[in-house]
Amino acid sequence: MPTPSVTSRGPSAPDGTWLERWEPENDAFWRNGGASLAWRTLTITTLCLTMAFMSWFLVSALVVRLPQIGFKFSPTELFWLAAMPGLAGGTLRLVHMFLTPMVGTRHVVSLSTLSLLLPLVGWFYVVQDISTPYWVLMVLAFLAGLGGGNFSSFMPSTSLFFPKRLQGTALAIQAGIGNFGVSIVQFVTPWVISFPLLAGATWMGTSQTMVKGGVTSQVWLQNAPAVMIPLVAVFGITAWLLLKSVPVKANFAEQFDIFRSRHTWSMTSLYIMTFGAFSGLSATFPLLIKQIYGQFPGAPDPLAWAFWGPLVGSASRVVAGPLSDKLGGARVTHWAGLGMLGAALWVTTLTQPSGLESFPMFVAGMLTLFFFAGVGNASTFKQMPMLFPPRQAGGVIGFTAAIAAYGPFLFGMLFAWSFAQFKAATPVFWGLAAFFAFNVALNWWMYARRGAANPC
């Protein structure tokens, strides 16, 4: 019986973790098992990434309820709590960006997912005790950033599994669905905390008394992390059992070669514009609604509206992936940046209201900003694999994602400063508009204009 040719064999992993070979650009290899393994990996990793984003943004969903159940925190302290997962997420992404070529997809995805149990179990207990010191909550808010860190190893891993012609689609699906974790946790939390999750189970804890608008009710804040704990455990174990690792390896020092390219820095700026804005506004949107419109009679519940922002941004990211594969990432990024610029200027007219009549327009302006940020998230991730070879592209994806993940921390600090100094969020949105305009010009000159040296 003849030995199969090297061009027709599919992938195999004799040691249980590392594949012998991986050639996604080889059509025969892709048909003979490569495609099925890539899509399986994408499915499992995306489920794990969704739980990571839910864990990362859990604090943003809980922080608006803490004063209502008796925690005594100032608005600045609340913004710090909302910002801390962003600080951790960005910092941990700087570590994660190196991990996939060093230890492989299987170990990174499974162990990183299981690490989410630390903040989830911690938050399960502390929300039941209003005497918990502020520093303990800050530590747990930082640990929630473990979920944010995962992105910078999961996404480079996915970029290695797919051919260039499908990378825009694959990365948009994974990041877009993963980003849905933000809106899921902000949407589900108000509902799941409203009833005892397991009636009669004393280990689930007791209710807290919430006072909102003079109305008293019973809530179970611990339910929000509780529903996530078993899912995290199951997905983490599944990743360990079913995932493999692509044989693209590099040590820590070798991966620093990406910093010699000007494209690393330009793409970092573009991704800060898109994902930095998405993540930063996702984390602070509930508090923005509370601070800007919460003083009026009949003020809206922030969590009844805030989840729409990340939902819209996540959905547009999924749709914009195939569009970027078809039209080119730079062209889509150009129009996304212009859309973000227009939306930011629109919002500046709605941040110092005299009543609730402008609230629908404020939400519309913010959702427009989220929509174009999601589109730009997808298109920039199409640009990077076109500018770099596979291993370097993974590193650049990880690095840009790491820096942009400081969005929740940076936005939290900016809004805290703006409200303290000017009693309004308007200066922040003017600053964002200027930053968006700079990046539109940068992307047009380097990648989108006719005759650009590196069209992508």
Side-chain angles (χ1 to χ4, degrees), residues 44 48 51 106 109-114 230-243:
I44 296 171
C48 291
M51 298 310 303
R106 182 192 185 202
V109 175
S110 58
L111 298 180
S112 297
T113 300
L114 292 173
L231 293 174
V232 166
V234 169
F235 292 164
I237 294 171
T238 301
W240 178 261
L241 295 176
L242 297 182
L243 293 186

Side-chain angles (χ1 to χ4, degrees), residues 34-246:
S36 61
L37 179 56
W39 288 106
R40 184 180 78 190
T41 302
L42 176 67
T43 300
I44 296 171
T45 308
T46 300
L47 290 172
C48 291
L49 185 62
T50 303
M51 298 310 303
F53 270 89
M54 290 177 67
S55 302
W56 192 20
F57 282 83
L58 173 66
V59 179
S60 72
L62 293 176
V63 69
V64 294
R65 297 293 190 227
L66 296 181
Q68 296 171 346
I69 66 169
F71 285 91
K72 305 297 183 183
F73 299 139
S74 69
T76 298
E77 288 175 320
L78 292 174
F79 271 112
W80 265 102
L81 272 177
M84 190 53 59
L87 174 63
T91 303
L92 293 170
R93 284 187 180 192
L94 291 173
V95 177
H96 271 268
M97 63 174 284
F98 296 103
L99 294 182
T100 299
M102 294 174 67
V103 301
T105 294
R106 182 192 185 202
H107 288 78
V108 165
V109 175
S110 58
L111 298 180
S112 297
T113 300
L114 292 173
S115 75
L116 303 177
L117 295 173
L118 292 173
L120 293 177
V121 172
W123 280 102
F124 174 84
Y125 285 106
V126 298
V127 294
Q128 300 180 57
D129 183 6
I130 63 172
S131 67
T132 303
Y134 181 69
W135 71 266
V136 174
L137 296 182
M138 286 289 281
V139 169
L140 288 173
F142 186 90
L143 288 176
L146 288 168
N150 293 2
F151 190 88
S152 280
S153 54
F154 288 20
M155 295 295 285
S157 163
T158 295
S159 73
L160 296 175
F161 272 91
F162 285 84
K164 285 188 175 184
R165 62 185 174 82
L166 293 175
Q167 285 189 15
T169 299
L171 291 171
I173 290 173
Q174 179 168 305
I177 294 177
N179 287 353
F180 275 123
V182 182
S183 54
I184 291 172
V185 74
Q186 292 180 345
F187 175 75
V188 169
T189 295
W191 169 71
V192 80
I193 67 174
S194 65
F195 58 89
L197 197 59
L198 294 175
T202 57
W203 54 271
M204 281 294 296
T206 58
S207 65
Q208 302 91 47
T209 300
M210 183 175 75
V211 180
K212 176 186 171 187
V215 178
T216 300
S217 60
Q218 297 301 117
V219 294
W220 291 259
L221 290 190
Q222 66 270 26
N223 287 359
V227 296
M228 298 163 60
I229 290 172
L231 293 174
V232 166
V234 169
F235 292 164
I237 294 171
T238 301
W240 178 261
L241 295 176
L242 297 182
L243 293 186
K244 305 299 179 184
S245 300
V246 171

Side-chain angles (χ1 to χ4, degrees), residues 25 151 155-156 158-159 162-176 263 267 270-271 274-275 316-334 336 373-390 392-394 396-398 400 443 447 454-456:
E25 303 294 347
F151 190 88
M155 295 295 285
T158 295
S159 73
F162 285 84
K164 285 188 175 184
R165 62 185 174 82
L166 293 175
Q167 285 189 15
T169 299
L171 291 171
I173 290 173
Q174 179 168 305
H263 299 300
M267 292 310 305
L270 293 175
Y271 199 60
T274 56
F275 184 76
S316 65
R317 184 169 192 165
V318 174
V319 173
L323 184 66
S324 299
D325 277 337
K326 181 177 181 180
L327 300 179
R331 291 175 62 189
V332 178
T333 298
H334 178 73
V375 172
N377 285 336
S379 58
T380 49
F381 267 24
K382 171 62 177 178
Q383 291 175 261
M384 295 178 218
M386 303 304 293
L387 292 168
F388 296 91
Q392 287 186 328
V396 174
I397 287 171
T400 58
N443 179 70
Y447 308 118
N454 300 98
C456 55

Side-chain angles (χ1 to χ4, degrees), residues 63 111 133 183 186 236 252 309 350 367 370 382 401 422 425 450:
V63 69
L111 298 180
S183 54
Q186 292 180 345
F252 183 79
L350 302 165
L367 294 187
F370 274 107
K382 171 62 177 178
F422 304 100
R450 187 176 305 223

